[in-house]
Amino acid sequence: MGQKLAVVITTPPYSNLTATALDYVESALKAGFEVIGIFFYQEGVLHADSNLSIASDEFQAVAKWQQLHQQYQLPLHLCITAAEKRGLRDDITPTNINPLFTVSGLGELVELTDKADRVIQL
């Protein structure tokens, strides 16, 4: 198969659509697709909020991203411009951005789009 996928996540971590996005990404990885990166944009940047607290009886999206990141070395890119608009900063100590995420810009999205055979936005 060998297709390269890039995924853009625009849904917040507490959205049902996020669970769908995670299922899609995990299914693609299991099917042998190469997911070259996940780009968190718009409300999707909230996944990187280290102060985020989701009730224990609700879907834990960040924990699932962490599992996929570790299991598949899945790159997780955070749009810093969209993040800063939502109060996430990497220039404060301590930062409120989860270290699981790589702070990036729209240039990274352009690179992912260029390298991918298919770009999926969820």
Side-chain angles (χ1 to χ4, degrees), residues 23-74:
D23 285 344
Y24 178 86
V25 169
E26 187 170 28
S27 294
L29 289 164
K30 287 179 177 178
F33 285 86
E34 181 184 353
V35 180
I36 61 172
I38 309 292
F39 190 83
F40 294 84
Y41 189 55
Q42 297 173 341
E43 294 299 304
V45 300
L46 297 175
H47 289 263
D49 187 347
S50 62
N51 297 320
L52 181 70
S53 178
I54 296 178
S56 62
D57 63 339
E58 293 182 26
F59 182 70
Q60 300 297 312
V62 177
K64 187 64 177 178
W65 287 122
Q66 183 170 10
Q67 176 203 340
L68 293 176
H69 171 73
Q70 291 170 341
Q71 185 175 356
Y72 295 97
Q73 293 73 51
L74 186 63

